[in-house]
Amino acid sequence: MRKSLVAVIVGLLVLTGLQAMPASAAAKKPSKVGLVSFVKANYDRNSNRTNLSLDWPDARHAKKYEIFVSRYSSMKKAKKYVQKSSKTKIKKLIRGKDYFFQVRGVNGKKHGPKSAVVGRTTILRPGPSTGLMPMRVMTYNVCSRVCGDNGYPWISRQPAVWERAASSGADVIATQEADNLDVLPGYTLAVDFSAKQIWYNAARFEVPGATTPPVSFKPATDPVTKCRVSSDPTGATGEIFLGRHGGGCRYAVWAELVERTTGRSVLMVSLHTVTGKTKASADYRRAEVYQMLASIKQVNAKRLPVVYAGDINSHRETKPSDSVRRPLQATKHYDAFDLARNVTGQHQSSYQGFKTKPVMSVKWGNHIDKVWVDPWKVRVDAWRNFERLGANGNRAQPIPSDHSPILVDLRIG
């Protein structure tokens, strides 16, 4: 674990005729515990219970720590655990439930301030255990033309986007706001429409029947919305018309990908819901997701595992509501973040603007860039905020996008 910054040494001078000073008299109040992070999670198939591993910076003068665990963000009815090290594993938690944690240092009878409250959902399902196909997925809003220069011209940002892709080891990359991303070195383009793309590693995967670069199907225009309707659902790739919201025509794109060595298939979706903080925008996001799910059900005649990835523009603390969570969960699709066995960079929000210093969110992480999977069909080994940071902890220059890429390791059953 992280070593203490200060080793507290209490020296007791014992002289003839004098008693030693009580240790409590020399005790110093511990400093406030810093940001508590979740680093691992697991699921016990025998008991159907889960556990969470926590880690936090050592507090000055702390001899031990009190860990408070509650089912409520107010921390009411919290259970208390005590231990010496600045990491712990909380066991026998109920699967698929929200838990909240605080930690404080203790030195004798003195208690330091409690840490900020952090929340985590336990793993809902253990996922399949046999016949697994590993697949690393990245979702990345690259904000190419729509962001303009923003002090970071696209011509200088694009190589930084390429670097993130090349160093990720991703098998599949779903991009959004990518209308000026014409090349992703090392990857083949499966589908490209309305600034949303799906790229894949052609050494591992192929699109069924694809012998030339894909050409988007050009269906008729809807007479009411003046938007192009969805493409032919019987193809291997296509686009889904989600409605006219937020002043524009909204779409998702999809592609069937087949692993060359095994012939196993997965359906990949890239999505970008409408932005906004009003009730109307939340309702639009919900409507877009419902339409996407209905269309993918029609597309997915083979009942393949589906991986939804994209800029959802919604998270647990979104006001007025996290409107996309319920419709996705209704079809047994859950946030890969909540299903991951290993988590890295959880507190760094995935939307960063073009700020140099990372935007942090304490309680949940507030990631609007997400990957959603069915935990009955897919196991999630790892989730990572794949932002490149410099030695000083700031975002590396040039900043590629106003979003961070999210990288997840899946095992498809």
Side-chain angles (χ1 to χ4, degrees):
M1 189 41 228
R2 300 179 236 181
K3 293 184 179 180
S4 301
L5 298 178
V6 178
V8 179
I9 302 173
V10 180
L12 300 179
L13 179 61
V14 182
L15 300 174
T16 303
L18 295 178
Q19 293 183 345
M21 180 186 297
S24 59
K28 294 183 179 180
K29 182 178 179 179
S31 60
K32 183 176 181 178
V33 169
L35 195 57
V36 177
S37 297
F38 302 96
V39 291
K40 288 184 181 297
N42 214 329
Y43 190 111
D44 186 334
R45 292 178 183 271
N46 294 323
S47 65
N48 281 328
R49 293 293 176 128
T50 65
N51 61 62
L52 292 171
S53 295
L54 290 76
D55 186 5
W56 58 89
D58 296 323
R60 294 188 307 276
H61 311 304
K63 290 288 190 179
K64 58 185 177 181
Y65 296 92
E66 294 178 341
I67 302 99
F68 300 88
V69 183
S70 175
R71 290 291 313 284
Y72 306 92
S73 60
S74 65
M75 298 304 295
K76 70 179 181 180
K77 299 182 179 180
K79 293 182 179 180
K80 183 174 73 174
Y81 302 84
V82 181
Q83 66 174 48
K84 291 184 178 180
S85 69
S86 52
K87 64 178 180 179
T88 192
K89 178 187 287 187
I90 308 296
K91 301 178 180 180
K92 297 182 179 180
L93 302 175
I94 302 172
R95 66 182 182 89
K97 299 297 182 181
D98 295 343
Y99 285 86
F100 299 89
F101 302 83
Q102 277 184 300
V103 179
R104 70 178 176 186
V106 179
N107 186 2
K109 294 183 178 180
K110 295 187 178 181
H111 297 77
K114 291 181 180 179
S115 67
V117 175
V118 295
R120 180 84 172 122
T121 302
T122 56
I123 296 174
L124 174 66
R125 297 289 301 174
S129 59
T130 59
L132 304 180
M133 179 180 73
M135 187 170 80
R136 178 170 287 182
V137 173
M138 177 189 282
T139 184
Y140 198 3
N141 182 328
V142 300
C143 200
S144 58
R145 185 169 60 188
V146 70
C147 277
D149 286 351
N150 263 299
Y152 300 93
W154 174 240
I155 194 171
S156 67
R157 290 193 289 117
Q158 183 164 242
V161 170
W162 291 343
E163 183 278 330
R164 287 290 77 195
S167 62
S168 70
D171 297 299
V172 184
I173 300 178
T175 59
Q176 303 85 41
E177 293 188 352
D179 51 345
N180 242 15
L181 183 62
D182 300 324
V183 177
L184 204 54
Y187 292 90
T188 300
L189 185 62
V191 62
D192 178 10
F193 186 75
S194 187
K196 284 161 283 293
Q197 302 171 333
I198 295 173
W199 301 82
Y200 64 97
N201 177 358
R204 273 206 67 195
F205 291 95
E206 62 182 347
V207 174
T211 57
T212 58
V215 178
S216 294
F217 179 71
K218 293 180 169 51
T221 300
D222 182 272
V224 177
T225 63
K226 308 302 182 184
C227 300
R228 283 169 52 174
V229 298
S230 300
S231 61
D232 182 359
T234 64
T237 67
E239 60 266 9
I240 300 169
F241 173 53
L242 304 178
R244 186 175 178 84
H245 304 139
C249 303
R250 313 292 304 179
Y251 296 89
V253 297
W254 57 271
E256 179 184 349
L257 300 176
V258 181
E259 189 177 38
R260 291 180 181 274
T261 57
T262 66
R264 297 178 60 178
S265 296
V266 63
L267 202 64
M268 190 75 202
V269 179
S270 181
L271 171 70
H272 186 189
T273 64
V274 69
T275 189
K277 298 180 180 180
T278 65
K279 182 181 183 301
S281 60
D283 290 343
Y284 286 148
R285 285 191 286 272
R286 182 186 298 108
E288 289 176 11
V289 170
Y290 272 124
Q291 181 59 56
M292 175 190 67
L293 292 169
S295 298
I296 288 297
K297 184 177 181 179
Q298 182 183 17
V299 165
N300 193 15
K302 299 177 185 177
R303 300 175 67 86
L304 303 174
V306 183
V307 178
Y308 296 99
D311 178 358
I312 308 297
N313 274 312
S314 186
H315 55 71
R316 287 180 180 269
E317 296 181 77
T318 295
K319 302 297 182 183
S321 67
D322 184 12
S323 59
V324 306
R325 184 174 295 269
R326 180 172 293 181
L328 280 158
Q329 290 183 351
T331 59
K332 295 185 177 180
H333 288 88
Y334 291 80
D335 189 348
F337 176 75
D338 297 330
L339 301 170
R341 266 69 174 173
N342 297 275
V343 176
T344 305
Q346 71 185 75
H347 293 298
Q348 185 179 331
S349 299
S350 67
Y351 177 74
Q352 297 281 321
F354 279 93
K355 296 180 176 65
T356 300
K357 187 175 181 179
V359 177
M360 306 297 285
S361 179
V362 174
K363 185 179 290 185
W364 289 112
N366 291 355
H367 310 290
I368 64 174
D369 300 273
K370 295 182 181 292
V371 173
W372 296 78
V373 296
D374 180 345
W376 281 263
K377 298 179 179 179
V378 180
R379 172 189 169 112
V380 184
D381 282 347
W383 179 101
R384 191 186 332 175
N385 187 319
F386 200 57
E387 182 71 61
R388 187 163 69 92
L389 302 178
N392 59 1
N394 291 332
R395 301 175 74 196
Q397 305 289 325
I399 296 174
S401 172
D402 58 347
H403 289 247
S404 298
I406 298 298
L407 194 64
V408 297
D409 287 337
L410 308 176
R411 292 187 181 270
I412 312 295

